[in-house]
Amino acid sequence: YDTDGNIFYDLGYDGLYSDDVSRILSRLEEENQDVWAYAHTYRNRDILILGRRIYEQYSQSRVIGYTLISIDEKIFSKTVTLWKSGAPQLLIMYGKVAIIMKIYKAKDYDELSRKAASIIASQVLMKPDCVLGLATGSTPIGTYKQLIEWYNKGDLDFSSVKSVNLDEYRGLTRDNDQSYYYFMYNNLFKHININMDCTNVPDGTQSDSDKECSRYEDVIKSLGGIDLQLLGLGHNGHIGFNEPDEEFAKTTHCVDLTQSTIEANKRFFASIDEVPKQAYTMGIGTIMKAKKILLVVSGSDKAQILHDVLCGPVTPHVPASVLQLHNDVIVVADEAAMAKF
Ligand code: F6R
């Protein structure tokens, strides 16, 4: 229900433009112009569809926001902002979104790492030939260490696992110690029995970016999609190299690094000229297609952004906020990062 107790709704990521929905809407309009929202079961989900009247009322404004409580009346309220005017003619509500996002608060970084590793381990145990989407950065290092430890104890077998990484600097070779390939090899791959032929990182040495990006999308498709995507969170809400923008990028693409990122990275290179200026990254659409998403967040410096991501408006200005619209997200954050909750 909204704050006045009138309506309730939630947003579906893929928008459902299907005939089914148009049929439901026209019936809704024929039957009762005054209905504001209509509950329906679609693909086994409870959804609500806004009637034309409410759509018209709000479609004038580019940005709209509401406080929501889920269909199941589980305690849940947040503000959702639509970032597109006009585009979907309907706002479709998935009542289950609210109860599917699981948020684990870990005592500290070690507990966070164990928890995240146990989620990845259970994915591998349940589907030994699964496709893992992997991330670099400092946050997942403890998670990878824990997985290595369990592998060494004989509890995990990665021999059939396939992997795809989120991103890679453009222009760096695999053996460059700043490349994400190098990071993955040294922090995980070389310590476990994953078949290196089944690991995938965008090829930073490919100068034809369109070709490399579509190749990478094809790789993910040919593997049957990502079963579990691990994500870290940037201070500005970025995931992969998807920086704040006016719109969500759909597929794997080449990004220009911001001057501040280049500056921040220069300490790792002999000179600023050697710092890569571009990177290849999965798009938000690529990430959102993963069946399950695991977001790991650590440290008080991420507390505000984590709150914005989970409770703020869904907007490309905070790229990770789009995760509110994914139907199977697990967030594992330590107490410091959860300080605003
Ligand atoms: C890494 C990546 C980045 C990081 C993010 C957080 O592959 O895609 O989005 O996840 O910058 O980095 P850390 O964990 O170092 O804070």
Side-chain angles (χ1 to χ4, degrees):
Y1 300 89
D2 72 2
T3 43
D4 299 317
N6 290 320
I7 57 156
F8 55 115
Y9 69 93
D10 203 335
L11 298 172
Y13 172 68
D14 56 7
L16 300 185
Y17 299 96
S18 78
D19 288 351
D20 271 17
V21 173
S22 337
R23 244 185 317 109
I24 296 164
L25 184 72
S26 47
R27 207 176 71 211
L28 166 71
E29 289 181 348
E30 277 163 28
E31 283 172 7
N32 188 349
Q33 288 283 339
D34 287 333
V35 171
W36 276 42
Y38 180 80
H40 188 70
T41 304
Y42 182 84
R43 295 187 198 154
N44 296 325
R45 294 165 187 256
D46 296 327
I47 60 169
L48 284 171
I49 302 171
L50 293 187
R52 194 183 57 180
R53 180 174 291 209
I54 193 165
Y55 171 70
E56 281 176 356
Q57 186 174 339
Y58 292 107
S59 62
Q60 307 303 326
S61 53
R62 184 171 154 68
V63 174
I64 58 176
Y66 305 91
T67 300
L68 308 180
I69 296 177
S70 87
I71 281 174
D72 303 286
E73 296 183 40
K74 292 265 151 50
I75 306 135
F76 174 70
S77 92
K78 65 178 181 182
T79 303
V80 166
T81 302
L82 278 189
W83 60 93
K84 271 187 184 157
S85 59
Q89 296 303 302
L90 299 170
L91 313 179
I92 308 296
M93 291 155 277
Y94 290 176
K96 297 271 162 63
V97 170
I99 52 168
I100 289 173
M101 187 180 279
K102 302 175 193 80
I103 303 175
Y104 291 104
K105 193 200 269 192
K107 197 167 78 249
D108 51 23
Y109 180 73
D110 285 350
E111 195 176 292
L112 173 156
S113 301
R114 275 200 308 280
K115 188 79 189 169
S118 64
I119 291 162
I120 298 173
S122 48
Q123 173 67 69
V124 173
L125 289 170
M126 285 194 292
K127 188 177 174 192
D129 61 346
C130 64
V131 179
L132 295 180
L134 300 173
T136 60
S138 54
T139 320
I141 290 178
T143 306
Y144 294 151
K145 276 201 180 118
Q146 182 62 77
L147 289 172
I148 294 164
E149 198 181 311
W150 286 334
Y151 165 74
N152 286 333
K153 281 187 182 150
D155 292 338
L156 277 177
D157 174 15
F158 291 89
S159 59
S160 306
V161 167
K162 288 153 267 175
S163 75
V164 280
N165 260 78
L166 278 170
D167 43 15
E168 177 62 284
Y169 286 117
R170 187 170 180 216
L172 296 193
T173 54
R174 290 174 158 195
D175 57 358
N176 185 307
D177 63 4
Q178 292 307 316
S179 78
Y180 287 175
Y181 182 93
Y182 187 96
F183 175 101
M184 287 312 301
Y185 185 72
N186 287 287
N187 285 291
L188 184 65
F189 297 155
K190 78 172 183 190
H191 304 285
I192 58 175
N193 65 339
I194 196 165
N195 177 350
M196 284 307 292
D197 293 339
C198 296
T199 65
N200 296 278
V201 180
D203 182 354
T205 62
Q206 272 297 339
S207 52
D208 185 337
S209 60
D210 289 348
K211 201 168 142 202
E212 176 53 13
C213 294
S214 66
R215 181 196 72 83
Y216 205 65
E217 283 289 314
D218 288 346
V219 165
I220 297 171
K221 257 185 232 137
S222 71
L223 293 172
I226 299 165
D227 289 299
L228 174 63
Q229 176 66 55
L230 175 64
L231 295 176
L233 179 64
H235 288 104
N236 57 5
H238 73 222
I239 43 178
F241 261 117
N242 294 280
E243 300 289 349
D245 203 346
E246 290 308 311
E247 55 186 37
F248 291 114
K250 291 191 181 69
T251 55
T252 302
H253 57 290
C254 181
V255 284
D256 294 328
L257 303 189
T258 58
Q259 199 51 41
S260 66
T261 306
I262 295 170
E263 285 290 329
N265 286 349
K266 76 173 180 211
R267 64 187 194 278
F268 301 120
F269 295 86
S271 76
I272 194 155
D273 297 336
E274 286 180 30
V275 184
K277 310 287 181 294
Q278 290 183 313
Y280 293 130
T281 181
M282 283 185 198
I284 293 291
T286 325
I287 294 169
M288 289 294 280
K289 277 196 211 127
K291 291 169 197 122
K292 195 183 265 297
I293 291 178
L294 169 59
L295 176 70
V296 288
V297 192
S298 169
S300 55
D301 52 324
K302 299 267 178 79
Q304 184 59 51
I305 191 67
L306 182 60
H307 192 266
D308 293 349
V309 163
L310 300 182
C311 302
V314 174
T315 161
H317 297 295
V318 182
S321 65
V322 77
L323 298 176
Q324 292 179 31
L325 305 179
H326 192 280
N327 68 7
D328 200 352
V329 176
I330 306 179
V331 180
V332 183
D334 56 20
E335 264 173 20
M338 291 288 288
K340 303 262 172 203
F341 286 84

